[in-house]
Amino acid sequence: MDDIDAMFSDLLGEMDLLTQSLGVETLPPEPPSSSSKENNFSMGFADMNVESLNELEENDLDALMADLMADLNDTEEKLAAELGGQKEAEAPHPDLPPASHGLSFYPESSLSTPTSPERGPNTFSAPLADSPAPILSPPTLPQHAKLSMEEIEAQMKADKIKLALEKLKEAKVKKLVVKVVMHDGSSKTLMVDERQTVRDVLDNLFEKTHCDCNVDWSLSETNPELQLERGFEDHENLVDPLSAWTRDSENKVLFQERPDKYEVFKNPQNFYLWKKDKKTIKDMKDRDKELLVEENFCGTSIIVPDLEGVLYLREDGKKSWKQRLFLLRASGIYYVPKGKSKTSRDLVCFVQFDNVNVYYGKEFKNKYKAPTDFCFVLKHPQIQKESQYIKYLCCDDAWTMNLWVTGIRIAKYGKSLYENYKTSMKKAAITTAWTNRTAGTTSIPSTPSPTTKAKASGQANGHAPQPPAEPVAKVGNAPPPPPPMLPTQILPPPPPDPVLPPPPPPQATKKSPPATSVPRQLPSLPTSFPPLPTSMANLPPPPPSLSQDDSSESPPDFLPPPPPTLGFGPGAGSLPPPPPVSFLPPPPPDPGFPLPPPPPDPAFCPVTNRDSLPAPPPRQSNIGAGAPPPPPPPPSASAGLQSTPSVRRTGPPPPKRTTPPLAAPGGGDFMSELAKAMAKKRGNQ
Amino acid sequence: MAAWDLSVTVEELGPEAPPLKVSVTSDLHIGGVILKIVEKTQIKKDWSDHALWWEQKQQWLLRPSWTLEKYEIHADARLSLTPQHKPLRLGLPNGTTLRLQACFSRPVFQTVMGVCHLLNLRHPEELSLLRPMEVKKKKKDKEAEEEVVYDLTGLRTSSGPAHTLSNGMPMHFADSLQTEAVYKMLSVSLPAPAPETITKMPRPTSLMDKAQVHSRWLDSSRSLLQQGVQEHDRLLLRFKYYCFHDLDPKYDAVRLTQLYEQARWAILLEDVDCTEEEMMLFAALQYHIGKVSLSEPQPMTSCPAMDDLDSALQCLEVKMEAEESITADMLETMTVAPELQDYLKIFRPKRLTLKGYKQFWFAFNNTSISYYKSKEESLKEPIQQMNLKGCEVAPDVSVAGQKFCIRLLIPGAEGMNEVYLRCENELQYSRWMAACRLASKGKTLADSSFSSEVQNIQSFLAMQRTNPGANIAQTDDSINTYSLVSPRYHKKYKAKQLTPRILEAYQNVAQLPLTDALLRFLQIWQGLPDFGVSYFVVRFKGCRKDEVLGVTNNRLIRIDLSIGDVVKTWRYNTMRQWNVNWDIQQMAIEFNGNVNIAFSCVTATCKIVHEYIGGYIFMATRTKEQAEVLNQELFFKLTGGHEAI
């Protein structure tokens, strides 16, 4: 252990040196990601209050060390990059500005946004601020050279102050070393800083575990003393709840699949129509489910399921459980006092959700003599031991318990829950694509080519020597695959790509494995791409799939997608596994989301399609049918290749929706039926 | 063709004047008739708005090219030439009355569109006109006449989209100071009403009462005159369909305000039931909105339209300043939070001992309170330090009794610790209270909201001082809490008992900007279980007793009239068709899975129920993209019906 400590302090020293050199020369301040890493070193271990270093297992330490080393490399590299960039900026007439260092740096700015919104845009210093520009049109770069020396100096001074302040701020950021218990019982150790959300940590874990990244994966905490368990919500900060743990706590953080996490979005009818008979609920059509989600989560206000039912309440202090009629409202849980009606005005507030979280109770039958084992608990997150302030409730069955816990979560978190779900879906879609790609061999190697192609169009020499894509994942660790470059030049680039004026969105960029860039890791950028570059490099790129990929790589933002891909569409569709198709999904970071339907692999996550599709003009087709135009085919159809596979999923809904009303006698739809009836009436008179 | 005399009354000739006789033939078209009449009157004026109204048939003759024959008009017909637009008194959701020119000849749907265009209310399809409740006692007539009427009859709008000024006010309101004042009245929520006003207003006490309201909607597909509405009559403009499409504070100043007013009155008059906790939150929001509206002259300054060069420039300036001040900001946030220190008394109700309050030296640091034996010892280790992050803060105050306590429920691993802090006076209390509030949310004293929080608390304390009986409207910092809650709570609580309850709810909303507060109010309103249900008493086919049909934006609800329990719900998206039998006034609806229901309407006409359901289905067909174009044809298709006779 001593050795390790020594190693750490060495590392720390080295980092300090680096920092100092940065400070002295005051090159453009490094992006916060790197500076935050530094502080990880200085703070992380000082602040470790979850587990002491000594308790870490050997392999945990190894993992941590690897992380740290990577961070160190990262910083060094960045420093080098910045030096390069700076030189460049100072050069009076850089004819060929995008020198390797500078260029390798740019993409990061574009990269940082899509997957890690919480990071915010990296704050680049002035010389690098317009980083994306050089990629497109090199001549814009020299702009900085025009600045007078004084201005530069002033700028540098300001930057210096900024940097110093940022560092000070950074130093205040709290970090925890967290041991996460995996689903198989093993554990992984992570460093989590207080600004990271559960989503970030999940992304981090996806990267580390190569799991399938479906939406059910979640982090949860267990409290063995109280026998409680709660899944963290994706938008929560992880450090906050963990800070409430006591020193001697046996609480654990689990990384596991929890189907209850987003069940409400997959089967909203279970929660919103719980009063209906089971058959109706079970036979619910996908389109109707969508509608339910839309109704309850997309309006001006979130609608909380109107739960009511008799639950058992554990009496304060006593060991008995008493039955009461409880009602859930957006403002809290209420109960009906004895002898009163359940009209709103008579309800008594049992609990409001501002200060409590909802937990599942485990084996309360034994522990508290509960009537059943289906218990849930409401308590302030800080309470860790038995207390009169904990409220214990017991349900008749698991279904009811799930209903209530989910209902409470909706009431408490509202829209965030839905946002989280959408984010998870996007994540899952991207990752599915990846998994598919690596599994479905054929299309894999071709991926990089389109990207480079697109790049090439923007670059002066068309050589694309420096794939601007910075490996977000640890992709860079693998030997750079040279072959992909060749096909690019051999194949005539498909027309649409070069026409596109703006640079391809980061998503596309990200995917191309780095050709020459030094292995670099941006650990702070959460990403879902499992590092599987090796396999990619080994596979020869079959030309046809290449073009398929091309279409898939085409930035989702720019619809319609390139026409030529259409030709390849059928081919793609006929491929046994649906990889190329499912590869399409990378949905644009956020704003574009509702526009292009991410066509994820149906086989992998059937829900994706359903929920992410822009809802076709909804009800009118159903009821007022006829009068409003029939729902147009989902826009995905326009996306040439995409359509083939996604038709399977997206195609059916519209007809399904329209058929019932059409089924009305006479084949007329509802409206015309009505009109007919009216005409008849008129005729009679 | 033989000529015959047609008698036409022309209002312009005076009420006593005999009808004009014009000689016409049956193949003369309406335009020609009007021309003849105008010539005969020899009055020179703009007649373009005039049209012929056929008294006996209750019908407008609006097609100038149709002949008298086609309209089946003979010598016995008595027509009158009258303007299509007449002044109408319009009660708004906020309780004020406007006098404005409304169209009496087109279907009410279009009349409402015109009115909404004038008032700058988007999405007129969500509103409609309601006949006011008939005033039973003659005493009240006097009061009704006393009400202030804002005159907008002179206001004319240009066709096409309304041009708005930078503050969101449409151009046509900028004519005079008077109209500008009216616009302000429309777009800023009114001060809280006096408690008496609330108690005097009729309140629905049962489902039956609530159902009665809906019997008064005007028919959207017929004109005002056809429905017996006369010039200068009073009608109420209300949001009828509870699905508010594309609500955007930037363009919807009037809409948002009127919607809030309608919601507020729905809450105050117990039109929508809510729990006590919810009522307190509504009260807090009303108080807050009232307060912010007063201090913010331009209601929507938070999102100015950028079409104004000045504001654009200003914005630019601000941006540039902001960039410069980044460093300053950073420095600021880095600095240590200012400290709050004083002698206070503390009391911990523990283990049933009655120790009482003890004095210590207290210091606030970040989000923690530490206390020491005395000021001198404050450099040493504190006796105890309490981190208030995530704690519950409640006031325990009586201004009259000079008792200023703060009740803290501080979470710890073992449970919640109850602590009382006693302050000496209002000022000390408000500072410590504000600090505790901020700390409970994880903010420190350095937070910019500290001083405003202190002020909020002080103004709330001032509420306690005011005489609860005094009938004063809301002024800057005094308000009667009875103005914020429904009469039920007037009976249940004394005004000063309400203050701490409202204050408690207020702490969660005190920092909201006006628009957010309005939206929050609407959100909570929309989140109520009974929100947006329009009730009708109906009789289902085969049933012998009256039941209630609730119509909402996505479902129909069958409700037991006596108990109020939901018997069954049917969602629109499982609906296959519906039919109206106008002869027996019965509606028949078919749902998926061979579910058929049929009912006749008791409290309202069948047409109103039919229009409500059809209207909601129409509302559901709106999408964001086509937001600007209103598909009137579809609306009439879905809601119209028996006019086509």
Side-chain angles (χ1 to χ4, degrees), chain A residues 276 288 295 300 329 331 334 345 349 355 380 383-385 387 389 620 622-623 627 670 674 681-682, chain B residues 273 275 277-278 390 392 412-414 416 488 526 554 569 571-573 576-578 583 621 634 644:
Chain A
K276 298 248 178 203
D288 288 339
E295 244 170 39
T300 17
R329 294 168 75 104
S331 57
Y334 294 79
R345 47 176 171 270
C349 187
N355 288 316
H380 193 289
I383 300 178
Q384 299 290 323
K385 307 217 156 87
S387 150
Y389 294 95
Q620 81 273 32
N622 195 9
I623 313 134
F670 190 22
L674 188 67
K681 195 105 242 345
R682 241 174 285 152
Chain B
D273 258 343
T275 65
E277 283 70 22
E278 286 156 354
E392 283 175 39
E414 327 264 308
M416 309 292 265
R488 174 186 317 282
Q526 291 176 60
N554 58 15
T569 62
R571 295 171 52 81
Y572 293 154
N573 62 334
R576 291 172 72 146
Q577 64 166 333
W578 87 90
D583 291 341
T621 65
L634 179 60

Side-chain angles (χ1 to χ4, degrees), chain A residues 154-222:
Chain A
Q155 180 64 47
M156 278 164 63
K157 218 175 226 170
D159 289 345
K160 213 187 280 184
I161 296 170
K162 242 193 217 167
L163 181 69
L165 286 172
E166 248 164 45
K167 281 205 177 133
L168 271 170
K169 235 182 176 175
E170 199 69 43
K172 278 182 143 182
V173 174
K174 193 170 168 186
K175 278 142 194 130
L176 294 180
V177 173
V178 182
K179 188 163 122 183
V180 180
V181 181
M182 314 306 285
H183 48 111
D184 60 0
S186 66
S187 68
K188 281 214 168 13
T189 307
L190 302 172
M191 185 128 49
V192 181
D193 89 32
E194 67 176 341
R195 293 164 305 182
Q196 276 179 299
T197 62
V198 170
R199 178 77 254 159
D200 300 334
V201 179
L202 278 177
D203 290 346
N204 206 348
L205 280 164
F206 285 174
E207 207 180 294
K208 284 192 153 75
T209 57
H210 315 253
C211 68
D212 64 356
C213 305
N214 71 49
V215 294
D216 290 342
W217 284 104
S218 56
L219 281 178
S220 44
E221 71 172 320
T222 57

Side-chain angles (χ1 to χ4, degrees), chain B residues 538-547 558 584-588 596-602:
Chain B
V538 298
R539 183 162 297 184
F540 280 91
K541 202 176 172 183
C543 287
R544 286 169 162 234
K545 57 171 187 182
D546 285 347
E547 282 173 272
R558 183 176 185 169
I584 53 168
Q585 290 278 305
Q586 193 182 61
M587 279 194 73
N596 285 292
I597 59 168
F599 53 83
S600 52
C601 306
V602 179

